[in-house]
Amino acid sequence: MLVDGWLEAAVGALRDGGCAEVVLVLGAAEVTAPDGVTAITAADWQQGLSASLRAGLAEADRMRAEYAVLHVIDTPDVGPAVVARVLDRALASGSGIARACFGDRPGHPVVIARRHWPGVLAGVSGDQGAAAYLSTQPDVAMVDCGDLASGRDRDRR
């Protein structure tokens, strides 16, 4: 169940943080997408997070995006300043990959340049997203955002 305002907060963080287009990947839940958001459904959503990542990157590919900003709605205190900081770092880095961290804990958003998408997709399955790929890349820019948000996942105790 989506908590009131979390979807809007996540979309606002992406838009106000520098994303020109926002894609909402749906699965089991039926949700009305905010205006101006492209909503798609991961047909194989039962397979977990990997299905959402595959569907989202496929849509980003159709849109001819050069970067994908991966974000989740259950980190409601992550705002536009976090997205902007991580996106700016990815754009400025040679690797094209940046990940928010909150203290010593990695989190979202994660920004990944197009050239990495095949590698990301090759390593996803079940509820495992891009983390496996990121762990193999020595030049992921870890961007401390602990001064801006907690980044805590709110679907866990």
Side-chain angles (χ1 to χ4, degrees):
M1 176 178 193
L2 298 177
V3 175
D4 287 342
W6 285 12
L7 175 58
E8 292 78 9
V11 169
L14 291 167
R15 282 184 175 153
D16 297 341
C19 297
E21 302 284 339
V22 176
V23 174
L24 171 63
V25 180
L26 301 170
E30 291 190 26
V31 176
T32 301
D35 289 340
V37 172
T38 300
I40 61 171
T41 300
D44 55 348
W45 61 265
Q46 302 92 336
Q47 293 183 16
L49 177 64
S50 62
S52 296
L53 183 55
R54 282 191 300 274
L57 287 180
E59 185 64 23
D61 185 52
R62 280 189 286 279
M63 294 175 146
R64 296 192 169 120
E66 290 301 317
Y67 288 82
V69 179
L70 310 178
H71 192 37
V72 293
I73 67 161
D74 55 1
T75 56
D77 73 335
V78 171
V82 173
V83 174
R85 185 180 286 178
V86 179
L87 181 57
D88 288 348
R89 180 66 82 65
L91 294 173
S93 76
S95 71
I97 306 174
R99 182 173 200 173
C101 62
F102 304 90
D104 61 354
R105 191 174 33 82
H108 288 88
V110 177
V111 180
I112 303 174
R114 171 185 280 278
R115 68 183 176 273
H116 294 284
W117 298 355
V120 168
L121 293 172
V124 300
S125 66
D127 271 331
Q128 299 301 313
Y133 179 79
L134 296 175
S135 71
T136 68
Q137 301 304 301
D139 51 359
V140 174
M142 298 300 289
V143 184
D144 188 11
C145 298
D147 61 320
L148 300 172
S150 73
R152 284 197 176 77
D153 185 333
R154 300 294 181 195
D155 66 356
R156 298 183 185 162
R157 294 177 196 237

